[in-house]
């Protein structure tokens, strides 16, 4: 079975006939500069502490998050990746009248919402791309809406101003900002700072993408403290391990790593998109503000995906798990220049054979 998520290197390696670490992975949108040296060093230093149970309240990490976002400690809940917190979003939404979901949507949203039998209403991205003014009048405090900003897989970014009408409806507004930290603070459209004014708002963040800690699993939520008390009573007490807590504290404190990523991404994304646009069979779909690009091909890309794996050991993310897009679309992470060049060579070679 093809995987529902990017980054499944074991599946890819079986097709490519190599080991998982030999695959050049464009399918998971991870920062190619991480994990940072500081995180690796911190992990090595604390390795012996795995004997002990982790702190269920993730204290040093919550302290760092509170300092970063200038909010009280009890506004934060750390999770085993944003994916764990999405499960509890599903539970929170289980008794809602309707849960609005913008499509195409990250596949895990459906997993979490259907696990708790949430009544899902789909809204195509095109209907809300310029704002939520037309949708907001339909929302009541009995409803919920789940938004991904910047949006995966398109990279579309909504401004805070565009999201504002939703907050006023009283509906539960969940904003998954898993890729927001790829924007520098001056360009961020995060809603974290308004959380104290809106008890109906949940903001989710991931530390696995920007800091390349996908195997360690780490994310957090920002919302009203009463909500977190409820979620704590639902989840297992040690879902976040002690290595992840230390990695998170170290990563958040590594300003040079953050600044290097912010300086690298916009020109790298621009150059990569321009080179992809020059391949006549491909169209870069939207202007992405994140670290990935959505691409439309003239035909199904599944043979291309297999070719790239077998001939070049490169994995791209097909969009079959996004029903609104399907097999003619694929998504690629922006990686280091030499790696992007390898993919471009593979793409050109494939289309020249046609
Ligand atoms: C939009 C979005 N939200 C959340 C996640 C999950 O992130 P994490 O690795 O922190 O569980 C992903 C992972 O691909 C994602 O694309």
């Amino acid at each position: 079975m093809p995987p529902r998520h990017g980054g499944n290197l074991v599946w890819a390696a079986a097709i490519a006939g190599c080991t998982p670490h030999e695959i050049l992975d464009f399918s998971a949108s991870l920062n190619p500069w991480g994990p940072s040296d500081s995180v690796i060093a911190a992990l090595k230093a604390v390795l012996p502490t795995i004997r002990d149970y982790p702190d269920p309240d993730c204290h040093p990490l919550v302290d760092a998050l509170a300092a970063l976002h200038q909010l009280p400690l009890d506004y934060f809940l750390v999770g085993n990746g944003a994916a764990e917190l999405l499960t509890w979003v599903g539970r929170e939404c289980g008794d809602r009248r309707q849960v609005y979901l913008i499509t195409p949507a990250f596949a895990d949203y459906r997993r979490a919402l259907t696990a708790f039998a949430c009544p899902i209403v789909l809204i195509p991205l095109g209907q809300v791309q310029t704002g939520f003014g037309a949708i907001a009048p339909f929302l009541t405090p009995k409803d919920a809406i789940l938004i991904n900003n910047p949006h995966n897989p398109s990279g579309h970014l909504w401004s805070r101003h565009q999201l504002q009408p939703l907050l006023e409806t009283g509906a539960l507004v969940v904003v998954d900002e898993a890729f927001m930290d790829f924007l520098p603070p001056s360009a961020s459209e995060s809603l974290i700072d308004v959380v104290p004014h809106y008890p109906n708002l949940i903001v989710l963040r991931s530390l696995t993408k920007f800091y390349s800690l996908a195997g360690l699993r780490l994310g957090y939520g920002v919302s009203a403290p009463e909500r977190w008390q409820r979620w704590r009573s639902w989840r297992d007490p040690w879902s976040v391990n002690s290595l992840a807590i230390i990695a998170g504290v170290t990563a958040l404190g590594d300003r040079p790593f953050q600044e290097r990523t912010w300086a690298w991404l916009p020109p790298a994304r621009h150059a990569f998109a321009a080179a992809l646009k020059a391949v006549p069979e491909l169209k870069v779909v939207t202007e992405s503000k994140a670290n990935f690009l959505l691409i439309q091909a003239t035909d199904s890309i599944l043979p291309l995906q297999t070719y790239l794996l077998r001939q070049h050991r490169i994995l791209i993310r097909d969009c079959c798990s996004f029903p609104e897009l399907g097999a003619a679309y694929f998504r690629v992470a922006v990686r280091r220049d030499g790696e992007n060049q390898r993919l471009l060579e593979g793409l050109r070679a494939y289309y020249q054979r046609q």
Side-chain angles (χ1 to χ4, degrees):
M1 282 289 285
R4 289 165 55 79
H5 295 290
N8 193 329
L9 299 182
V10 172
W11 170 82
I15 295 172
C18 63
T19 61
H21 78 265
E22 289 174 301
I23 300 283
L24 178 54
D25 183 17
F26 282 85
S27 74
S29 302
L30 306 175
N31 185 345
W33 300 102
S36 67
D37 293 344
S38 63
V39 167
I40 298 293
L43 287 175
K44 283 184 181 158
V46 297
L47 214 44
T49 67
I50 59 170
R51 182 198 55 203
D52 306 318
Y53 276 98
D55 174 0
D57 297 320
C58 302
H59 266 118
L61 181 52
V62 170
D63 292 345
L65 291 170
L68 174 69
H69 295 297
Q70 299 286 293
L71 287 175
L73 299 175
D74 50 5
Y75 276 86
F76 297 90
L77 185 72
V78 181
N80 189 31
E84 190 225 346
L85 301 175
L86 283 167
T87 300
W88 307 125
V89 166
R91 170 134 193 205
E92 183 88 19
C93 290
D95 59 358
R96 298 283 156 161
R97 194 184 61 164
Q98 287 177 320
V99 182
Y100 292 84
L101 188 62
I102 289 132
T103 58
F106 173 49
D108 214 42
Y109 298 160
R110 279 199 183 84
R111 190 264 314 159
L113 295 176
T114 51
F116 295 95
C118 300
I120 303 173
V121 179
L122 303 178
I123 311 174
L125 175 63
Q127 271 183 28
V128 290
Q129 205 151 356
T130 55
F132 292 88
I135 297 289
F138 294 98
L139 294 177
T140 74
K142 291 185 175 155
D143 300 313
I145 184 163
L146 177 45
I147 292 161
N148 182 202
N149 199 31
H151 176 258
N152 173 12
S154 70
H156 176 74
L157 179 73
W158 284 283
S159 69
R160 288 156 57 91
H161 178 71
Q162 286 173 318
L163 297 173
Q164 184 67 31
L166 294 174
L167 299 176
E168 308 299 341
T169 64
L172 177 67
V173 179
V174 182
V175 186
D176 174 1
E177 297 185 352
F179 294 95
M180 189 65 86
D181 42 10
F182 282 93
L183 288 123
S186 60
S188 171
E189 297 290 350
S190 175
L191 290 182
I192 288 180
D193 63 318
V194 300
V195 165
H197 306 294
Y198 293 99
N200 56 327
L201 174 61
I202 302 176
V203 178
L204 298 183
R205 285 288 186 98
S206 170
L207 292 173
T208 69
K209 286 128 191 354
F210 188 85
Y211 297 103
S212 288
L213 301 172
L216 205 54
R217 317 298 307 127
L218 193 59
Y220 61 97
V222 193
S223 192
E226 307 76 59
R227 174 164 291 110
W228 295 153
Q229 278 169 21
R230 196 162 56 243
W231 286 26
R232 277 196 189 93
S233 72
W234 296 339
R235 68 195 310 220
D236 97 56
W238 302 287
S239 49
V240 182
N241 69 75
S242 44
L243 296 182
I245 294 171
I246 293 305
V249 173
T250 311
L252 291 175
D254 194 340
R255 190 73 182 182
F257 177 83
Q258 296 155 9
E259 283 177 354
R260 188 157 63 126
T261 303
W262 292 327
W264 154 78
L265 180 58
R269 183 179 55 217
H270 182 78
F272 194 27
L276 286 162
K277 280 179 196 160
V279 180
E281 292 83 358
L282 303 179
K283 193 171 119 191
V284 179
V285 177
T286 41
E287 204 213 319
S288 172
K289 294 288 185 198
N291 61 327
F292 49 79
L293 297 165
L294 178 63
I295 295 157
Q296 185 178 14
T298 43
D299 216 338
S300 168
I301 62 89
L302 296 179
L304 166 66
Q305 186 184 51
T306 307
Y307 165 84
L308 288 172
L309 277 173
R310 293 215 171 119
Q311 304 301 322
H312 299 270
R313 295 182 173 172
I314 289 176
L315 176 60
I316 57 171
R317 170 73 157 87
D318 67 71
C319 289
C320 296
S321 68
F322 300 100
E324 306 75 15
L325 296 177
Y329 289 80
F330 65 101
R331 194 194 63 205
V332 286
V334 181
R335 297 195 54 113
R336 298 180 192 209
D337 188 45
E339 297 168 331
N340 298 341
Q341 292 307 326
R342 264 183 66 189
L343 173 61
L344 288 161
E345 280 158 26
L347 290 169
R348 290 189 202 111
Y350 175 79
Y351 284 115
Q352 272 159 19
R353 288 176 349 144
Q354 302 290 300

